[in-house]
Amino acid sequence: SQQGEEDPQALSIQEGENATMNCSYKTSINNLQWYRQNSGRGLVHLILIRSNEREKHSGRLRVTLDTSKKSSSLLITASRAADTASYFCATDTASKLTFGTGTRLQVTL
Amino acid sequence: NAGVTQTPKFRVLKTGQSMTLLCAQDMNHEYMYWYRQDPGMGLRLIHYSVGEGTTAKGEVPDGYNVSRLKKQNFLLGLESAAPSQTSVYFCASRDTSHSEQYFGPGTRLTVT
């Protein structure tokens, strides 16, 4: 069964706008990671947040984690057309990742 | 560094045929993983390995076997393919110190 559920399933924004996607999960975790997948390609790791962290930044990415609510959010600021992709959260438990169902982001010019 | 490579990229099988998917990594990673990705379902773990000579079942292992005879290679076998195994298969690896996984480009398998 999927550990995470992502919301929204699809998101369409214009270049320059911010994109926020959310992830909820069910069990205790070591860390939570976000991955990007361009159409027809493998997944690429974006950012990792540990269970004792609440917020983390990397370039235009901001990730938050609320372990009491078992939820995380990924914010992409000042989006670009090249950000068009599917984004997946993944929870790390016992050296294994369990992936959410993903958010398809479309950034238009 | 090539990273994680997968062979083949595409394959069409008839029901009942067998095949082996090869994953290779050149990063000296201990851990390797096989996932399948189906529309609207994200990635699901089939089998994984925490070191040469070891394998373990993931979430959806039925119908698949794996072997890790060499540290750099992780093989996924389908002994008798079924249409339900039509999917995109991804291999990934990671080292022991970091949780992030490195993915291969995928193998698109169709079983008719």
Side-chain angles (χ1 to χ4, degrees), chain A residues 60-102:
Chain A
R60 294 185 295 112
L61 305 180
R62 172 178 169 258
V63 172
T64 62
L65 179 65
D66 187 335
T67 53
S68 66
K69 295 181 179 177
K70 292 187 169 58
S71 67
S72 174
S73 67
L74 172 67
L75 168 67
I76 304 174
T77 60
S79 63
R80 306 165 181 169
D83 294 328
T84 293
S86 291
Y87 292 82
F88 294 89
C89 67
T91 50
D92 184 334
T93 307
S95 302
K96 295 181 291 181
L97 291 181
T98 305
F99 286 84
T101 51

Side-chain angles (χ1 to χ4, degrees), chain A:
Chain A
S1 61
Q2 300 289 149
Q3 161 77 300
E5 293 291 331
E6 293 182 62
D7 170 54
Q9 289 187 340
L11 179 60
S12 182
I13 60 173
Q14 291 192 318
E15 204 171 46
E17 294 181 335
N18 295 342
T20 299
M21 46 204 91
N22 304 295
C23 168
S24 61
Y25 58 92
K26 298 174 185 174
T27 64
S28 297
I29 61 173
N30 295 325
N31 62 68
L32 185 143
Q33 304 175 34
W34 286 89
Y35 288 79
R36 183 186 72 220
Q37 183 181 34
N38 289 91
S39 181
R41 303 288 187 91
L43 278 71
V44 174
H45 180 263
L46 294 176
I47 193 166
L48 178 153
I49 186 165
R50 291 185 169 77
S51 59
N52 61 354
E53 297 176 312
R54 292 296 168 257
E55 186 171 313
K56 199 161 182 181
H57 297 254
S58 176
R60 294 185 295 112
L61 305 180
R62 172 178 169 258
V63 172
T64 62
L65 179 65
D66 187 335
T67 53
S68 66
K69 295 181 179 177
K70 292 187 169 58
S71 67
S72 174
S73 67
L74 172 67
L75 168 67
I76 304 174
T77 60
S79 63
R80 306 165 181 169
D83 294 328
T84 293
S86 291
Y87 292 82
F88 294 89
C89 67
T91 50
D92 184 334
T93 307
S95 302
K96 295 181 291 181
L97 291 181
T98 305
F99 286 84
T101 51
T103 293
R104 291 189 308 278
L105 174 64
Q106 176 78 43
V107 182
T108 56
L109 296 172

Side-chain angles (χ1 to χ4, degrees), chain B residues 35-102:
Chain B
Y35 297 91
R36 60 178 289 173
Q37 184 177 31
D38 301 296
M41 297 192 71
L43 275 75
R44 292 182 292 169
L45 182 64
I46 305 171
H47 285 281
Y48 64 103
S49 169
V50 299
E52 181 179 319
T54 74
T55 63
K57 293 180 180 179
E59 181 188 353
V60 288
D62 293 343
Y64 305 95
N65 56 74
V66 287
S67 63
R68 183 99 182 268
L69 298 180
K70 293 183 179 180
K71 186 177 183 179
Q72 63 268 34
N73 296 338
F74 195 28
L75 279 64
L76 178 71
L78 285 73
E79 290 187 348
S80 180
S84 61
Q85 294 178 304
T86 293
S87 188
V88 182
Y89 292 85
F90 288 99
C91 176
S93 70
R94 54 160 282 203
D95 66 27
T96 53
S97 303
H98 302 90
S99 297
E100 52 267 38
Q101 295 184 12
Y102 294 80

